[in-house]
Amino acid sequence: MSVYPNPFHARASEHQREAHRFISTFGAGAVSMLPEALWDRLLILRSSPGAGKTSLMRLFTIDSLLWVRGRLRDSDPLREELANIGALVDGEPTRLGVLLDLDRDYRALLDLPIREDVALRLFLRLLDTRIMLGVLRAALLFAGEEYPGSAELFRLEMDSTEPDVEAAVEWIGGTGGGGILNYARDTERRVLGLLNALLTSDLEADPQAGHHELMSLRVLSACAIRVGNRRLGAQPLLMFDDGHALDNRQRSALLEQLGRRRPSPGRWYSERFEALSDQELLQSLGTAGRDHVLVNLDHIARAGNGRRFHKGRHDRVLVDIATRRAAPVLKTYAQEEQDFFSLLDPPDSAEFPQSDETIGQVRERALALSGGKARYDRWVAEAAGMAGRTAALKWRELEILITRDREREQDLFERELTPEDLDDRSSASLREGAEVSLANEFNLPFYAGQSRILQLGSHNTEQFLNLCGDLFEELLVSVSVGRRPTLAPRRQDRLLRDASERYWESIPRTVPSGRDVQAIVSRIVEIAKAEANKPTMPYPPGVTGTAMLMSERTLLLDPAYREANPGADRLLTALASAVASNVLAADLDYAVKGNRYMVIYLNRLLCPRFGLPLGRGSFRERRLSTMLGWVRNLPAAGQRSERQLSL
Amino acid sequence: MNLRWADYVFELGEGALELVACAASTQAPSRTMYVLGVGFDPRCLVGLQAFLGLEHPTPPIVVRVDLPAPTASSHPVARTAAAANLVAFDELMTDTDHRVVKFPAVSEMANAGPPIAQEIIKSDFLASVGHLVLDISSLPSSLYFPLAAAALKAGGLPPEDPSHFSGEFQVVVCENPQVDACITELSVSHASYIAGFRPTRLESDPAGPTVWAPVVGEGAGPALRVVHDLLEPDEVCPILPFPARSPRRSDALLLEHQTELFDSFQVTPANIVFADERNPFDLYRTLCRLNRDYEAALNPLGPPSIELSSHSSKLLSLGVLLAAVEQEMPLATAVSGEYEIVHGMDLASFSTSNQLGCLWLAGDPYA
């Protein structure tokens, strides 16, 4: 442990309340992950935990926008991005962004001893008051006034005198800030009183007066906002975070309200991606694209969105975030001007102490496979002209390619293979597979350098920053003892393997049904190892996932099927938990050979623990009946851990 | 500072049962009601067996709070032990008046306490009962915190209130550090406020700083992280056990949780608080003082909220409970439904280290 603070471990931006700390470490490029239609229809953000939903929303809160307005120069990339999407016009915020955390008291309302419809109406009432409080606070802040001291300056101005709107205004406490605040206080007191009721006599308060719809949406769509004498130009933007924390009935009710086709304030809603649940309730929200936009942040991080956010840009965003976090500490404590990643040496710079022995062994095997045939002479000559790590890798690559060639139908004339043939038959994936197998065999560093750290982050900001934190801690130790902070590949490899081991070990402690999740991971690893042991490496760089037919996924979601098939419930629970916790990543509707699959990949951070490659793309499908056996035939827990350790 | 339990009645060890007998005798001929849960923990029946061994001038009533069975992915030993303990309980009850309180249908374990408390702490359920004993040895904190708080609150209600109860109220716990060390909580994936102990600070009021005082224990890393995520505190005051049976326990805990405490939560050494691991009333007093001092110091920044969580022994958690009840401090818990027992350990073999504790919290001594 160093004596200096580690800027990566004081992590998740949602924990950093101060706007300046949040903004100064925000990766501006992430704004481009958002679609163009942001303000006039319901925007649904979905991703695995830690992918940055909350941070993205938080950027649009009035606190953040005001900070950007007041403190960043026009040329700052973040300010430019916000201007590009219309959140700032002429330097002024156009949105009164309000972030509403749905992981609060809402779900507990359904556990109260009251009727379900009453509980749902209370939910809408409580949410209504918090929406209005958020807008009230944001408007006062925007106008430079104090909350709640200047609440009386706030006023809603009805643009029309529709009876529905007038009635809705009454439901939220009137048009004045004071009335809205009093109504909110009364609502909160009553609801919290119910939630904290320990005795029967505490429950006597009448809980009947709920809301049958979100009145605030109707009010905010029909009213302008005035603070004092100033009519605000900025429009409310309501951002509902962590929708997965709601009960399904609450979620449906909220989405139904947010998806209604009528002029409304901006509405964003975020939730965790769940590949194995009845999450697709979106049919009721109208037409995708026109009435709502679904933004899958995980997918965009991996593949881009086909517009401003290109494939590979997410990596640059992550590097930007890490660099911003590290720079002040490096500069202050180490007088180091270089950025964080330039202090981490790439794996090809690793010392290669057992060079001769390693190269000799791999070369002998490749030569034995070639059998001295003239067909491979030019390949062999090319490898023989290389030295060190490059040579070892080339010989390993040849081992695989010669084995493949020998298994193919032979050319009629046994022609000599050229270096161009070698290029054609090889690939980046094959070379990665060759490198990882060489690293496993000769204990060489593989998991090191910027690109592999990015891969290990699995496109997940939180996971990536945690890994950076582990590496940065080591740099800080160097700083503490007066050494220049750099990290050799072997040390990076060790630290990242340790992080992988800790992640694996943490699964039972931190993931629901964690032991079952570990069992599923172990089975996928078994498949991966069996494939990796094949001399031809048929799926380079290696298998790191499995797949289930979409039709069998539907079957697994069917309660009747689960009741009739022992283990199905447990498999569903474990798979759902693994995906929700980001241990496994699932892609739905993946088309292969006329079938559609749910592809399930290991979180990349598990790969070092099992010596697997980091490249994604190869999987081996398994039938549902086989997967049922993975959890149905689990050995006792003690035996299980020994078995897993032997993998 | 006037504290409700400035003077207290507490016994750990051989005197604990005498305290139970003493309380029963003060209310004779009213009956004693003994409330417990029966789970996989080998300590769950220790207190009951000892209690049944006492002389009872009036036949006692035993109430078992029905606990959810360990899930399919829990350790098989835990599942077997839970079933065996239920059989043993039934055998103990052959000649004893007993009742079962059903576990309520709730979406979250943290919300189960109040419905159970409302079922038990009411005059028709407690008719003829003058002495209530709550054995928390095998109850989760999400149940025993609201139950104990409800029993304490019931004493302050007017006699005509249907929830009024003014008899003796005691909490019994069976301590055994060796058993604690062999049990690991699994699946600690999120945290909640315990129902009955949610923050009373309104969002409509100006927000002041949040200070979190977690009682730190071994293996509590995942729980500390998820509670921190829930509370998002401005300041953290970890509570460490000292004095302790092992004088180095605090140091070991600091080493175990150094990344969480110092890097993630950015705790400064001056914020570390110590409390006697064998006396919950010491922790109670410490927390009450902490609350008073922080309120005085931070009030200019807006009303502070001092929030608590307990990740150590059950005995120490009672200090947290008393402070939370008296000072109305919010209480959070990490939600876990699965347990694992260290492979090859026979928990029953540690029974010689069992030690009963009894806290007399309301009734005659405080009249």
Side-chain angles (χ1 to χ4, degrees):
Chain A
M1 189 181 164
S2 80
V3 296
Y4 300 118
N6 188 327
F8 292 98
H9 283 153
R11 55 187 209 290
S13 53
E14 49 198 294
H15 300 160
Q16 296 176 15
R17 292 185 177 185
E18 301 94 347
H20 76 276
R21 284 183 67 186
F22 171 68
I23 299 288
S24 61
T25 55
F26 189 89
V31 176
S32 304
M33 296 175 90
L34 293 169
E36 281 159 15
L38 281 172
W39 318 116
D40 60 346
R41 64 207 75 179
L42 172 60
L43 183 75
I44 299 175
L45 296 168
R46 226 179 240 174
S47 76
S48 53
K53 298 181 293 290
T54 304
S55 297
L56 206 47
M57 288 174 133
R58 196 181 158 191
L59 180 65
F60 292 85
T61 59
I62 193 65
D63 310 60
S64 300
L65 292 176
L66 288 176
W67 204 90
V68 170
R69 179 191 69 177
R71 306 293 286 273
L72 296 188
R73 287 192 301 270
D74 287 346
S75 58
D76 186 277
L78 183 57
R79 190 168 173 139
E80 282 181 355
E81 288 281 358
L82 290 170
N84 285 343
I85 59 164
L88 293 175
V89 170
D90 297 331
E92 283 297 311
T94 61
R95 305 290 146 184
L96 293 174
V98 175
L99 188 58
L100 296 141
D101 183 2
L102 296 174
D103 191 10
R104 301 278 301 174
D105 322 305
Y106 305 111
R107 191 187 182 99
L109 289 169
L110 284 166
D111 287 338
L112 289 174
I114 53 177
R115 287 202 325 265
E116 185 183 315
D117 59 324
V118 176
L120 278 172
R121 285 206 298 273
L122 273 182
F123 161 65
L124 292 177
R125 175 174 170 178
L126 186 60
L127 198 51
D128 252 339
T129 61
R130 286 183 173 159
I131 290 170
M132 289 312 300
L133 280 174
V135 172
L136 170 64
R137 184 185 164 280
L140 292 174
L141 201 62
F142 183 68
E145 300 291 346
E146 274 187 22
Y147 173 88
S150 305
E152 292 294 346
L153 296 175
F154 178 95
R155 187 151 297 279
L156 293 165
E157 285 186 342
M158 280 186 266
D159 290 337
S160 66
T161 51
E162 285 177 36
D164 281 0
V165 177
E166 286 183 359
V169 164
E170 291 307 311
W171 278 100
I172 53 127
T175 54
I180 291 170
L181 197 58
N182 286 338
Y183 181 74
R185 282 182 176 150
D186 178 56
T187 300
E188 284 198 292
R189 274 198 199 99
R190 294 180 75 174
V191 175
L192 288 175
L194 279 173
L195 290 173
N196 272 336
L198 289 169
L199 298 167
T200 315
S201 48
D202 298 332
L203 285 168
E204 283 171 8
D206 171 25
Q208 298 296 318
H211 290 181
H212 59 276
E213 66 167 70
L214 278 181
M215 302 295 177
S216 53
L217 292 186
R218 192 179 288 276
V219 170
L220 292 171
S221 62
C223 296
I225 296 171
R226 184 177 284 278
V227 176
N229 295 324
R230 181 180 168 197
R231 190 170 170 146
L232 303 189
Q235 296 299 308
L237 168 63
L238 309 177
M239 298 177 285
F240 300 87
D241 192 20
D242 286 345
H244 56 267
L246 296 177
D247 180 271
N248 260 339
R249 290 160 288 183
Q250 294 172 323
R251 174 182 178 268
S252 302
L254 175 59
L255 282 174
E256 194 266 323
Q257 295 283 319
L258 297 180
R260 283 192 184 177
R261 293 184 63 191
R262 64 179 177 207
S264 283
R267 293 142 292 145
W268 294 6
Y269 167 90
S270 84
E271 65 184 6
R272 188 179 295 173
F273 171 63
E274 291 172 1
L276 284 151
S277 76
D278 199 9
Q279 198 172 34
E280 300 310 321
L281 292 171
L282 302 180
Q283 294 91 334
S284 60
L285 297 178
T287 310
R290 189 188 65 186
D291 301 311
H292 69 267
V293 183
L294 178 62
V295 180
N296 183 335
L297 291 176
D298 294 331
H299 180 76
I300 294 173
R302 285 198 304 271
N305 61 7
R307 291 184 299 275
R308 293 186 304 145
F309 200 85
H310 303 295
K311 186 177 180 183
R313 184 157 182 200
H314 193 253
D315 287 350
R316 293 204 297 280
V317 171
L318 292 179
V319 170
D320 181 32
I321 295 171
T323 306
R324 283 165 178 267
R325 292 230 175 176
V329 177
L330 286 173
K331 194 165 184 179
T332 307
Y333 299 113
Q335 292 76 49
E336 185 58 69
E337 295 290 342
Q338 273 188 274
D339 68 56
F340 170 52
F341 282 105
S342 65
L343 301 172
L344 309 177
D345 296 330
D348 54 14
S349 67
E351 71 282 14
F352 204 55
Q354 68 276 62
S355 170
D356 289 343
E357 187 190 339
T358 306
I359 297 168
Q361 283 188 43
V362 194
R363 183 180 57 218
E364 288 311 313
R365 289 202 308 248
L367 290 175
L369 282 167
S370 75
K373 286 186 180 176
R375 181 173 171 79
Y376 304 113
D377 278 356
R378 294 185 66 187
W379 286 9
V380 167
E382 186 178 334
M386 296 176 170
R389 183 186 175 86
T390 318
L393 287 172
K394 183 56 81 178
W395 285 116
R396 178 75 188 104
E397 191 183 341
L398 285 190
E399 239 188 301
I400 298 162
L401 289 175
I402 293 173
T403 309
R404 281 186 187 181
D405 186 67
R406 284 162 54 104
E407 287 188 3
R408 283 161 60 148
E409 231 173 85
Q410 295 298 301
D411 284 351
L412 199 57
F413 304 106
E414 280 281 304
R415 70 176 175 87
E416 187 178 54
L417 292 167
T418 64
E420 289 72 34
D421 291 323
L422 181 60
D423 288 344
D424 286 348
R425 295 184 184 191
S426 189
S427 65
S429 296
L430 184 83
R431 284 190 287 276
E432 186 191 341
E435 189 177 351
V436 79
S437 70
L438 198 71
N440 288 337
E441 185 179 353
F442 295 103
N443 189 26
L444 300 173
F446 174 79
Y447 306 102
Q450 177 178 314
S451 63
R452 295 209 169 123
I453 296 165
L454 282 162
Q455 285 179 299
L456 285 166
S458 271
H459 295 291
N460 187 290
T461 311
E462 193 171 321
Q463 183 169 311
F464 169 75
L465 291 178
N466 281 335
L467 289 174
C468 291
D470 291 345
L471 298 168
F472 199 80
E473 189 70 31
E474 194 83 354
L475 293 179
L476 286 175
V477 171
S478 297
V479 174
S480 303
V481 295
R483 282 201 305 260
R484 182 158 186 268
T486 55
L487 265 187
R490 186 165 292 280
R491 187 64 189 147
Q492 291 175 53
D493 182 86
R494 183 71 264 148
L495 291 168
L496 293 170
R497 285 177 194 269
D498 288 349
S500 178
E501 182 67 32
R502 282 198 305 277
Y503 180 57
W504 165 255
E505 291 291 337
S506 75
I507 290 172
R509 302 288 317 275
T510 58
V511 174
S513 300
R515 283 286 179 215
D516 289 353
V517 170
Q518 268 193 332
I520 291 171
V521 170
S522 300
R523 296 303 187 149
I524 297 173
V525 170
E526 277 178 14
I527 298 169
K529 294 228 159 184
E531 292 295 330
N533 287 335
K534 291 181 179 170
T536 55
M537 194 177 284
Y539 301 99
V543 167
T544 52
T546 186
M548 177 192 286
L549 281 166
M550 285 300 284
S551 55
E552 293 193 328
R553 171 188 175 269
T554 309
L555 210 54
L556 188 61
L557 286 170
D558 179 2
Y561 173 84
R562 296 204 302 276
E563 199 172 327
N565 288 275
D569 241 338
R570 202 165 163 185
L571 177 68
L572 176 69
T573 305
L575 277 176
S577 168
V579 173
S581 309
N582 204 23
V583 177
L584 299 176
D587 279 344
L588 300 179
D589 267 326
Y590 190 91
V592 183
K593 294 177 191 164
N595 282 318
R596 304 197 80 80
Y597 289 95
M598 175 175 75
V599 183
I600 302 163
Y601 285 112
L602 297 176
N603 183 315
R604 300 293 92 177
L605 187 50
L606 288 166
C607 295
R609 204 261 176 197
F610 299 105
L612 298 178
L614 300 175
R616 204 165 138 161
S618 301
F619 60 85
R620 300 294 286 149
E621 66 273 20
R622 287 293 181 269
R623 299 308 303 263
L624 177 56
S625 53
T626 305
M627 290 191 187
L628 289 179
W630 292 354
V631 291
R632 195 194 288 148
N633 304 324
L634 277 180
Q639 297 160 345
R640 216 184 306 167
S641 18
E642 282 155 22
R643 184 166 185 278
Q644 282 160 351
L645 283 173
S646 71
L647 279 170
Chain B
M1 192 178 185
N2 289 325
L3 295 178
R4 178 173 176 179
W5 290 284
D7 296 314
Y8 56 86
V9 184
F10 167 55
E11 282 287 351
L12 182 62
E14 289 174 1
L17 270 180
E18 286 172 28
L19 221 53
V20 174
C22 177
S25 68
T26 61
Q27 290 288 331
S30 296
R31 301 174 75 181
T32 295
M33 177 179 279
Y34 194 95
V35 181
L36 80 166
V38 179
F40 73 91
D41 195 310
R43 294 166 291 189
C44 65
L45 297 175
V46 173
L48 178 66
Q49 283 162 335
F51 170 74
L52 293 175
L54 294 171
E55 278 194 21
H56 297 281
T58 324
I61 308 165
V62 174
V63 175
R64 177 170 70 81
V65 176
D66 198 18
L67 299 175
T71 62
S73 50
S74 279
H75 195 288
V77 173
R79 283 183 275 153
T80 312
N85 285 337
L86 273 177
V87 172
F89 173 79
D90 286 340
E91 285 168 5
L92 284 171
M93 290 298 103
T94 42
D95 296 323
T96 307
D97 182 5
H98 70 283
R99 305 169 192 172
V100 177
V101 173
K102 290 275 177 221
F103 192 82
V106 286
S107 60
E108 263 197 281
M109 185 75 172
N111 297 332
I116 292 173
Q118 286 150 18
E119 179 77 20
I120 294 174
I121 312 296
K122 59 183 180 188
S123 45
D124 48 350
F125 196 88
L126 293 171
S128 79
V129 173
H131 175 209
L132 181 63
V133 182
L134 175 62
D135 184 342
I136 65 168
S137 305
S138 192
L139 286 173
S141 60
S142 56
L143 294 190
Y144 71 78
F145 278 11
L147 253 171
L152 291 167
K153 189 175 180 186
L157 295 174
E160 64 277 13
D161 191 291
S163 301
H164 171 78
F165 174 74
S166 60
E168 311 303 316
F169 175 54
Q170 294 179 318
V171 174
V172 164
V173 59
C174 179
E175 280 283 282
N176 188 329
Q178 285 175 299
V179 173
D180 284 337
C182 291
I183 299 172
T184 309
E185 278 188 332
L186 302 180
S187 309
V188 182
S189 60
H190 74 288
S192 294
Y193 286 106
I194 296 176
F197 294 90
R198 292 173 181 278
T200 50
R201 184 165 70 185
L202 308 180
E203 285 203 11
S204 39
D205 288 336
T210 299
V211 179
W212 173 38
V215 181
V216 180
E218 288 79 4
L224 290 170
R225 283 193 290 274
V226 293
V227 173
H228 185 271
D229 286 352
L230 173 77
L231 271 48
E232 295 182 26
D234 297 276
E235 198 153 318
V236 181
C237 298
I239 295 163
L240 296 171
F242 191 83
R245 270 167 287 213
S246 161
R248 290 191 173 174
R249 191 173 168 215
S250 289
D251 292 345
L253 285 169
L254 281 178
L255 281 173
E256 181 185 341
H257 301 298
Q258 62 173 0
T259 304
E260 282 93 6
L261 294 178
F262 298 111
D263 288 337
S264 297
F265 308 163
Q266 301 186 325
V267 169
T268 53
N271 276 6
I272 295 172
V273 177
F274 295 96
D276 186 345
E277 74 168 0
R278 289 162 64 93
N279 185 350
F281 290 94
D282 181 54
L283 175 58
Y284 151 74
R285 281 193 303 250
T286 303
L287 289 171
C288 290
R289 271 201 307 273
L290 191 81
N291 188 42
R292 179 199 61 191
D293 294 347
Y294 264 112
E295 282 199 340
L298 299 181
N299 230 358
L301 303 174
S305 179
I306 319 299
E307 311 196 349
L308 310 174
S309 65
S310 179
H311 312 277
S312 188
S313 69
K314 286 218 159 111
L315 188 62
L316 220 43
S317 77
L318 290 169
V320 175
L321 167 73
L322 299 181
V325 167
E326 184 168 324
Q327 308 279 319
E328 295 187 357
M329 288 191 267
L331 251 174
T333 185
V335 181
S336 162
E338 297 169 26
Y339 298 91
E340 191 162 76
I341 294 158
V342 172
H343 184 54
M345 287 293 177
D346 175 16
L347 298 186
S349 66
F350 298 129
S351 61
T352 50
S353 304
N354 285 338
Q355 199 171 31
L356 280 177
C358 176
L359 290 79
W360 195 338
L361 295 178
D364 200 43
Y366 305 96

